[in-house]
Amino acid sequence: MELKSNVPPGPLDQKWTEHKFNMKLVNPANKRKYSVIVVGTGLAGGSAAASLAELGYQVSCFCFQDSPRRAHSIAAQGGINAAKNYQNDGDSVHRLFYDTIKGGDFRSREANVHRLAEVSVNIIDQCVAQGVPFAREYSGLLANRSFGGAQVSRTFYARGQTGQQLLLGAYQALERQVGLGAVKMHTRHEMQQLVVIDGKARGIVTRDLITGEVQSHSADAVILATGGYGTVFYLATYAKGCNVTAIWRAYKKGAAFANPCYTQIHPTCIPVTGDHQSKLTLMSESLRNDGRIWVPKAQGDHRPASDIPESERDYYLERKYPSFGNLSPRDIASRAAKQVCDEGRGVGKTGKGVYLDFAEAIGRLGVDTIRERYGNLFDMYERITDENPYKSPMRIYPASHYTMGGLWVDYNLMSTIDGMFVLGEANFSDHGANRLGASALMQGLADGYFVAPYTVGNYFGSNKFEKVDVDHPAFKQAEAEVADRSRRLLGIKGDTTPDEFHRELGTIMWTHCGMARTEQSLQTALAELPALRERFWKKVRVLGGEEQVNQSLEKAGRVADLIELGELMCRDALERRESCGGHFREEYQTPDGEALRDDEHFCHAAAWEYKGDDAPPVRHVENLDFENIHLQTRSYK
């Protein structure tokens, strides 16, 4: 396997423009001859399907929800970045590019990140034209707020519902194409296998989640936009249905999996309350604009927050990182919260929490202003905790939230399998070792609206395609593999539910490969995970049958893939003998506890090649060159 980034030559700020000009074009009449499968209907998948159909391609779109608008993109609350500089506070395309490279701890590809910053300004115009109700200033201009890792206000938002409103815009564009017959929409279908013929992705095999029918679908190209794999930790801010299955199937068909250990822990999650929980709830990072984070200065101080005077409070982010304060990047803020809790200064019954306090902001701005900015988030917090955040501080603690790792893609967002493109969180390309807040929505829409429509067309214009239909032997073989796997799971008849295995997997991963990793902890995980996998295939109990709605079967298949993914994550974390961004190896840190990179040996993306269930994967490397931003120690102090 060879990793060719296919970054075009020329000055950084001209690469994308020149590349678009040099791409092969497909004339409008010929576009109707090409077919594309899009798996996933979130911001990346929905926008890609709508855009490609608008151009004239035949598009088939798949999601396992009952409606495309139920994609997990709706859960993104705080906002979307764009270098518009409406605040006249010094922002620019170059500054967004710089902040993203620095925020990712210099572990992302310069060319991709600069393109993202360039395209960001177009996304806002696109979404406003669609009617997305962004917040506005009194003058009528679009409002902005700040997010972590930036000293400018570049985040556009719709209260605390930005992801939902952006997805509704993409959804309406998609449904327009469905209504015109340009997109064939398949809801309640889950991708089970990728079909590769003569080295090219030519289709997928799905399971109809209502009837249980296994079906094949052929196309000239396949786009995966299926989100991240953070549910490997079980307790996460993801929807329960989020999984790794689609990209894991592609990995086993030859797509390299890059940087799987790069997982993001978000600092503002409602803390775990007990073993009864099946997921966690995020409080938007936007709250850190006006909320101040603190813990008691003394260990074991369990007094109510209102009884602790200012002199006995430690606003630890403001103390440690005065330049960025409470808007320090997520990885840094998360580790800082863990540190003070480990010192015995955490709050709440478990001691695994810190305060996010709005008293100062309410006193300065008034309750009405805070309610206007964050009202739905405050209401959600009160419904979950039965505590009024207008009167007492929120309690927050870090949790799994996003994955920077994913399938390796080149500059054109194509994987190591020709004709298979990967968009949004499912790929590895833009965020390095740590994603800045409000950049996930930006990447998803950039990939779907403004990158894939060009690069997929270039692929069609550069290749000749033999007609392939679902009667091809490769599809029949893939269908048989899917059916055999289902029958195998149903035939085990063990005594342990898929959820119990999932919870055990999450405990292993969070304990040994979570916010901090060591060589010893990773070796422990790599001893426990194969044993868990073996026990799963002997003891899992899957109820029901094949030809019906069977959520037990769905969960079992996803958990099986997550267990295998956990092993790859730990291998990747063990091999990366440095700390960078969200990957924190305790052996590699500065005297004051910050991440210590090793640019001499690890300034690269690691991409893993599958070699079979009984053979270890092979690690490949794409070296990262920094020609426009010099490598430097990341500091937010």
Side-chain angles (χ1 to χ4, degrees):
M1 177 180 288
E2 186 178 0
L3 303 179
K4 294 182 179 179
S5 65
N6 292 318
V7 173
L12 184 68
D13 60 353
Q14 294 298 314
K15 286 182 186 293
W16 179 232
T17 301
E18 289 296 318
H19 189 52
K20 286 190 291 184
F21 178 76
N22 291 322
M23 285 181 181
K24 300 286 187 181
L25 298 179
V26 181
N27 81 53
N30 284 342
K31 285 187 174 76
R32 293 191 291 272
K33 301 176 181 178
Y34 293 102
S35 57
V36 187
I37 284 172
V38 180
V39 185
T41 58
L43 288 181
S47 60
S51 300
L52 289 164
E54 182 76 34
L55 288 170
Y57 298 109
Q58 301 175 49
V59 179
S60 295
C61 194
F62 297 80
C63 70
F64 61 64
Q65 298 92 350
D66 58 358
S67 167
R69 66 181 179 181
R70 290 189 182 276
H72 188 54
S73 298
I74 65 165
Q77 300 162 334
I80 176 171
N81 287 331
K84 285 287 198 181
N85 195 32
Y86 284 168
Q87 304 298 313
N88 198 28
D89 57 358
D91 200 12
S92 65
V93 166
H94 186 78
R95 188 173 294 279
L96 176 53
F97 161 65
Y98 171 79
D99 286 346
T100 305
I101 291 284
K102 178 182 175 183
D105 216 352
F106 300 89
R107 290 294 179 263
S108 48
R109 190 189 290 147
E110 273 195 341
N112 285 66
V113 176
H114 196 277
R115 176 177 62 191
L116 177 65
E118 289 178 60
V119 167
S120 71
V121 298
N122 300 327
I123 295 172
I124 303 304
D125 298 337
Q126 168 88 4
C127 295
V128 168
Q130 289 176 331
V132 173
F134 286 121
R136 293 181 180 269
E137 305 284 5
Y138 178 74
S139 63
L141 294 176
L142 297 182
N144 292 114
R145 56 189 176 199
S146 299
F147 257 65
Q151 291 178 304
V152 297
S153 293
R154 63 162 67 101
T155 303
F156 296 78
Y157 62 97
R159 297 186 74 191
Q161 308 168 355
T162 314
Q164 181 175 354
Q165 298 302 327
L166 290 171
L167 185 63
L168 287 172
Y171 166 72
Q172 289 173 104
L174 174 60
E175 287 301 304
R176 177 174 177 270
Q177 298 301 324
V178 172
L180 292 171
V183 172
K184 195 171 187 180
M185 190 68 230
H186 302 265
T187 59
R188 301 293 286 145
H189 280 67
E190 183 170 35
M191 175 180 159
Q192 297 287 301
Q193 190 60 279
L194 176 75
V195 178
V196 180
I197 300 174
D198 296 328
K200 291 182 169 59
R202 296 306 303 266
I204 63 172
V205 174
T206 63
R207 180 175 184 270
D208 185 320
L209 300 183
I210 302 299
T211 67
E213 182 183 1
V214 174
Q215 304 169 339
S216 286
H217 308 270
S218 64
D220 298 312
V222 175
I223 293 175
L224 299 187
T226 52
Y229 49 86
T231 50
V232 71
F233 295 103
Y234 186 70
L235 289 179
T237 65
Y238 288 78
K240 282 287 288 179
C242 294
N243 62 82
V244 75
T245 291
I247 61 174
W248 196 249
R249 293 279 163 269
Y251 163 68
K252 288 193 168 185
K253 286 292 184 177
F257 205 122
N259 302 332
C261 77
Y262 285 170
T263 54
Q264 181 169 83
I265 309 299
H266 198 296
T268 55
C269 180
I270 297 179
V272 176
T273 56
D275 291 339
H276 62 282
Q277 286 181 275
S278 61
K279 77 175 300 293
L280 298 174
T281 303
L282 179 72
M283 289 289 100
S284 169
E285 182 175 305
S286 62
L287 296 172
R288 293 200 277 153
N289 273 284
D290 290 307
R292 300 180 70 193
I293 297 172
W294 63 275
V295 292
K297 287 184 177 179
Q299 293 182 359
D301 188 342
H302 300 304
R303 289 177 292 172
S306 58
D307 292 344
I308 302 176
E310 282 288 317
S311 60
E312 297 179 35
R313 299 180 179 186
D314 180 13
Y315 294 91
Y316 57 89
L317 289 176
E318 298 173 36
R319 171 176 55 82
K320 294 178 69 174
Y321 308 103
S323 292
F324 284 75
N326 295 303
L327 288 174
S328 299
R330 292 175 176 179
D331 58 321
I332 288 174
S334 294
R335 282 197 296 275
K338 180 180 185 296
Q339 182 180 14
V340 296
C341 290
D342 289 347
E343 292 171 357
R345 298 193 288 140
V347 302
K349 292 180 180 179
T350 64
K352 297 293 186 182
V354 300
Y355 286 129
L356 180 60
D357 195 339
F358 290 84
E360 188 271 338
I362 289 173
R364 174 168 47 88
L365 301 170
V367 170
D368 290 344
T369 298
I370 296 300
R371 181 174 286 112
E372 181 181 331
R373 291 179 179 177
Y374 313 112
N376 62 309
L377 298 172
F378 277 48
D379 293 343
M380 183 167 64
Y381 181 87
E382 186 169 9
R383 283 197 301 271
I384 292 171
T385 65
D386 198 29
E387 299 172 9
N388 185 341
Y390 293 103
K391 297 180 179 179
S392 59
M394 291 182 179
R395 287 177 293 107
I396 56 171
Y397 192 71
S400 168
H401 177 64
Y402 188 88
T403 54
M404 287 76 66
L407 293 186
W408 184 91
V409 292
D410 66 6
Y411 187 73
N412 293 316
L413 303 184
M414 190 159 71
S415 70
T416 50
I417 299 173
D418 283 352
M420 194 190 80
F421 297 80
V422 191
L423 313 186
E425 191 179 357
N427 75 30
F428 90 111
S429 69
D430 292 353
H431 305 297
N434 174 63
R435 177 176 68 81
L436 293 183
S439 288
L441 304 183
M442 175 175 63
Q443 186 208 348
L445 292 180
D447 289 355
Y449 282 136
F450 297 108
V451 180
Y454 284 95
T455 59
V456 172
N458 178 61
Y459 173 71
F460 289 148
S462 304
N463 291 274
K464 292 184 178 179
F465 296 87
E466 294 184 8
K467 182 174 176 56
V468 170
D469 60 30
V470 296
D471 292 326
H472 191 282
F475 282 96
K476 298 306 177 186
Q477 180 182 345
E479 289 178 13
E481 291 170 357
V482 171
D484 287 347
R485 181 180 171 88
S486 294
R487 283 193 286 269
R488 184 183 173 195
L489 287 166
L490 289 164
I492 295 171
K493 300 189 185 303
D495 56 9
T496 308
T497 67
D499 275 341
E500 288 177 272
F501 278 109
H502 194 180
R503 186 185 292 276
E504 189 173 344
L505 168 66
T507 299
I508 293 171
M509 294 302 296
W510 184 254
T511 302
H512 301 301
C513 192
M515 291 178 66
R517 300 100 185 256
T518 65
E519 181 171 356
Q520 181 178 358
S521 74
L522 293 167
Q523 294 284 15
T524 299
L526 286 170
E528 293 180 358
L529 289 169
L532 179 67
R533 174 161 50 96
E534 183 178 358
R535 187 155 47 84
F536 174 89
W537 285 101
K538 291 180 179 178
K539 296 291 186 181
V540 71
R541 182 169 183 80
V542 181
L543 304 174
E546 286 180 82
E547 298 178 1
Q548 62 185 81
V549 175
N550 191 338
Q551 292 187 328
S552 181
L553 180 60
E554 293 172 38
K555 290 177 182 177
R558 295 167 189 171
V559 172
D561 293 330
L562 287 168
I563 293 173
E564 294 180 10
L565 166 70
E567 294 183 55
L568 188 65
M569 288 173 61
C570 292
R571 281 182 184 271
D572 190 48
L574 185 62
E575 289 297 322
R576 187 165 287 276
R577 295 176 175 86
E578 65 166 352
S579 291
C580 56
H583 169 65
F584 192 74
R585 285 281 296 269
E586 291 184 354
E587 307 99 313
Y588 307 102
Q589 58 181 299
T590 63
D592 56 351
E594 302 295 341
L596 183 61
R597 296 198 321 262
D598 181 352
D599 294 334
E600 181 180 354
H601 298 104
F602 292 99
C603 190
H604 59 242
W608 295 84
E609 180 185 5
Y610 175 73
K611 288 294 187 180
D613 287 341
D614 300 320
V618 175
R619 187 178 189 266
H620 300 275
V621 164
E622 179 199 345
N623 290 317
L624 300 172
D625 299 316
F626 292 91
E627 300 173 356
N628 299 272
I629 297 178
H630 297 299
L631 287 167
Q632 56 190 270
T633 300
R634 190 174 61 146
S635 174
Y636 292 91
K637 295 185 176 181

